[in-house]
Structures are given as structure tokens and as C-alpha cells.
Amino acid sequence: LCCGRSVQQDVSEPSASRRTGGRVSPVGSQKELTSDTLTSTTLDSSTLDDGEDNLSVRHTQLHVRARSEHPRYPRRVQVLDAHVPWSSSIEGYRPTDFVAKSVLENDCTVKEGGWADPAEPDREAIARRGSYEHEKRRLPVRFDELGRPLNPVGRTGMCNRGGLGKWGPNHAADPIVTRRCPDKPGTPLEVVVIKRRDTGEWAIPGGMVDAGELVSMTLRREFEEEAGNVPESERERFEDLAGRLFTEANGHEVYRGYVDDPRNTDNAWMETTAFHFHCTADLAVQLPLRAGDDAHNVTWLDVDDAEPRYAALYASHKDWVDRVACELRLRKGHSPKAVAAPAEATPPAPQGRRKPQRSMLGLGRLRIGSPKAARPATTGYGASPPPSPPPSEPASPT
């Protein structure tokens, strides 16, 4: 039921694409994930009884980007809004079966240093990796009749892993770097964005968390790789400025969970931790931006729906920046505690930080559990999660 049209091609091969709008507005608590909280159940991916599964119904909105075309993917089977939840029945649902050649070539059980899971999903490995989305919604990880994890929001029109290396959640970290622009009337809020090479869309700089890597390290590393490709003669200065920006006192978690991403499939999806870092105008002026790695371009962009590039930000990125802008407005336009440009010492963390935010102090103890062999992993700041309990026996398809 989940393996319909079989297509195998490298994600480097382009195909026609049409991107649509729509984003997920996530809600819910933000707890640290341990594998002890995860359970597994096997279900028929074609139809799930409403009384048995409300996995995707509980999500506040349906994913849209995850059902849209990606230039390096084959065409998806169309899935109507009413058919997205796994609890809704679709007779003869046959999603496009696609896994990129590069994913297969980087099987970590075959290639030393490979970043992808093996061809057959491993429930214990998935449980050890954990899922932000399942944990914060207190829902179990579901598996189809072939033992593949099911997307927590619902159907996407494509099964297998696509261009994602991991079965189930693929963890990323996204730094939201903002400033008040001193050169424009009213000093509008701006955010650093990069132009992606794969889709041509503007996005927050960010990327996959290496296995065992701390999220704090990923946030800074990805920013430097995608927005700080400066000449070697400027490297030391850039790293000093970046060090003043990416501090525990200056970082606040904005979102953690599922991402409505065009790379998602029925069995593999993106999850992220997005952190906000605000810098003073002086620091922002001195911080050089130069595209590198997966970025085609980089710039400061007005946080304004009238700016077309901002209105069409990649995946769920606009939602997170909107949340930052809203918080700043609620604080009567005052910027968050910002790191001054070349100061002699990093200012101490302000006391009494507001409760709704998670600081990097807490994130500093979250770490991805599997050995360092995969770029598509998740976040980390501390002790590795405890060993996961043995997976449950597969249940007979409903």
C-alpha cells in the first residue's frame, strides 16, 4: 500500500516543480526527549481507525509544503486535504516510492562515514534518535505494515526516504539572526537569509545536526558555513564576531518540532530546533555576510510581508521569524538583550528570563544519540538519552 510507483534517481537530477504556500503553526510543550517516552505500534498505512489513531488529527494544521513538488524529486501522488490524516481511509493509496541514489550510497552500515540509515528501518535506532514532534504531543511513533515510521502529520504522496538520510525524523538546527537596521527609516527589523541552491528559495541558514553534536555547535557551524564564507584573511575577525553573537545568554529557542518541508515523505520528515540571536546594529554592520556551502546568496532581509522574498520563505521558516517579530512587538518594540559589537567581554546572562523561552543553557545538554556517522541527525546539548526499551512486537495490520 505504501510502495506504489517505484522511482529511483539521484536528487541531483532536476524535474519540473511547483511550490505552494501554507505552513504549520505548531503548538504544545517543549520537553527534552528520551527514548523511554517512545512506544511503537504497527498500523496499516492505507487506513487507520479513528478510535485507534489520532496521530495527525491532533496537529493544528495540515502540511502543505510536504505535499508540494521538489525540483530534485519525482512527482508525488496528489493528496487532498481531507486525505492527509492517517485516520482517513483512501482506497488504493499508492504513493510514489522514491529514495535518492546519494542516500543509498551513504548507507552507514556499508560506507565508512556514511550519513544515511540502512535500507531497512531499525526501530531501536529510530527510538534512540527520538522525535521532538511525537514527544511534545505525547504520541507514540507509528509504523506501517512494512516496518517504516509514519509521518506524524499524515500522507505526503511519497513513501520511502526521498533525499533524507534517516527513517523517521531528520533533525536540523536553524539560527534566526536579527538586527535593527540603522540605515533605514524607523530601523526596521531584519533577518539573515540565504538563497538555497536546491530549490532557489530564500531561507534561514541552517542544516542537519551531526550525530552526537550539540545543537549550539550546529547553530553556529551552519551559520558560518552558509553565511560566513569569508576569505582566510578575514576568518579570525569573523569568528570573533560570531562568537559574540552565538552565546548562551543571547540565544532563545523559538520552536522545536515538525517542519512542513518539501523534502518530507510518508516515512521520513524534517524536525528542527530554531533559536533566535539578536545583535546590535554595530555588530551587524561589522559582521560580514558571504554565501557558502549550500547557499547561492546571503543578505539581510526586511521582516515584512510586503517583501516578496520574506513572504515566500522556505518551508516553515516564515512562521518562526513571525513569532520573533511578534514577541518584539509585544515587548513594545524593545530589542532583546543584544550582544554589543567588539566588547571586551561577553555580558553576563540577564537574570529572570521570561518563562516561555528556552535558553541555550538548557539546550547545551541535549545531544543526538547515534555515533557520528550522519549529517541528517538532530540536536544536542548534554547527556545522551538513556537506552531505549525494546520495540514492541509488530501488530497485525488493521
Side-chain angles (χ1 to χ4, degrees):
L1 292 171
C2 260
C3 25
R5 297 187 289 119
S6 179
V7 180
Q8 283 198 3
Q9 66 183 55
D10 197 330
V11 288
S12 62
E13 297 177 10
S15 63
S17 66
R18 181 177 64 85
R19 288 174 289 277
T20 61
R23 298 173 175 84
V24 173
S25 298
V27 295
S29 61
Q30 297 178 336
K31 291 178 56 182
E32 301 298 340
L33 179 67
T34 66
S35 57
D36 288 338
T37 65
L38 297 177
T39 61
S40 60
T41 305
T42 301
L43 297 165
D44 186 324
S45 61
S46 176
T47 173
L48 299 176
D49 184 86
D50 284 333
E52 184 176 11
D53 174 62
N54 280 322
L55 181 63
S56 52
V57 174
R58 295 187 189 182
H59 206 278
T60 55
Q61 291 185 7
L62 303 177
H63 50 203
V64 176
R65 299 285 181 98
R67 290 180 284 156
S68 67
E69 301 301 328
H70 188 286
R72 298 182 181 179
Y73 280 24
R75 293 191 66 83
R76 298 174 183 267
V77 169
Q78 183 179 9
V79 179
L80 302 178
D81 288 355
H83 294 157
V84 170
W86 293 113
S87 55
S88 65
S89 177
I90 304 180
E91 184 176 355
Y93 174 57
R94 295 176 63 83
T96 301
D97 189 333
F98 170 63
V99 58
K101 182 180 178 182
S102 58
V103 173
L104 298 175
E105 291 175 344
N106 280 278
D107 183 336
C108 64
T109 63
V110 177
K111 178 181 178 180
E112 183 178 358
W115 46 261
D117 282 350
E120 295 298 322
D122 182 335
R123 292 195 183 199
E124 292 187 358
I126 294 170
R128 286 195 301 271
R129 190 177 305 136
S131 167
Y132 301 149
E133 191 67 23
H134 287 85
E135 169 61 12
K136 74 179 183 180
R137 299 185 184 285
R138 302 181 183 277
L139 295 171
V141 177
R142 307 291 190 179
F143 293 83
D144 66 14
E145 66 280 6
L146 298 180
R148 301 179 297 190
L150 292 174
N151 187 304
V153 179
R155 299 180 179 92
T156 66
M158 181 173 291
C159 62
N160 215 313
R161 286 175 290 168
L164 299 177
K166 305 296 186 184
W167 290 104
N170 289 254
H171 293 104
D174 294 287
I176 302 171
V177 177
T178 62
R179 73 172 183 179
R180 293 285 178 181
C181 181
D183 301 325
K184 298 179 181 178
T187 61
L189 185 68
E190 294 183 326
V191 63
V192 174
V193 295
I194 56 99
K195 190 171 185 179
R196 296 177 62 96
R197 292 187 183 275
D198 58 350
T199 67
E201 295 173 281
W202 290 91
I204 297 167
M208 301 299 186
V209 183
D210 289 334
E213 184 178 34
L214 303 180
V215 171
S216 58
M217 296 174 61
T218 305
L219 291 164
R220 177 171 173 176
R221 171 176 59 77
E222 288 293 336
F223 183 83
E224 292 182 355
E225 288 179 1
E226 297 192 346
N229 186 29
V230 298
E232 191 60 33
S233 60
E234 301 176 23
R235 172 56 51 185
E236 183 176 354
R237 177 60 174 165
F238 177 85
E239 291 182 351
D240 177 66
L241 294 171
R244 298 176 187 276
L245 176 63
F246 290 93
T247 66
E248 293 182 345
N250 195 41
H252 303 282
E253 184 176 299
V254 175
Y255 174 72
R256 181 181 294 185
Y258 182 85
V259 182
D260 187 8
D261 193 293
R263 293 170 293 180
N264 292 354
T265 72
D266 289 0
N267 311 118
W269 58 91
M270 291 298 302
E271 294 185 358
T272 197
T273 302
F275 258 70
H276 177 217
F277 300 88
H278 190 81
C279 57
T280 63
D282 286 344
L283 176 58
V285 167
Q286 296 182 55
L287 187 67
L289 298 179
R290 182 169 296 184
D293 195 37
D294 295 330
H296 181 71
N297 199 357
V298 60
T299 189
W300 287 100
L301 191 67
D302 284 355
V303 179
D304 187 345
D305 285 340
E307 164 57 65
R309 293 171 295 178
Y310 179 73
L313 282 182
Y314 180 81
S316 305
H317 294 189
K318 183 176 181 296
D319 291 329
W320 311 331
V321 184
D322 282 347
R323 183 176 297 188
V324 168
C326 181
E327 181 181 328
L328 295 182
R329 287 196 298 270
L330 290 176
R331 296 175 64 195
K332 299 180 181 179
H334 294 295
S335 300
K337 295 294 182 180
V339 181
E344 296 184 0
T346 301
Q351 300 300 314
R353 186 170 293 127
R354 36 191 197 291
K355 293 181 180 179
Q357 293 184 329
R358 183 199 302 270
S359 75
M360 289 184 68
L361 293 170
L363 187 61
R365 287 174 288 280
L366 175 62
R367 186 187 300 275
I368 300 310
S370 54
K372 187 174 179 63
R375 281 293 301 261
T378 212
T379 347
Y381 243 92
S384 300
S388 61
S392 63
E393 291 297 322
S396 57
T398 59

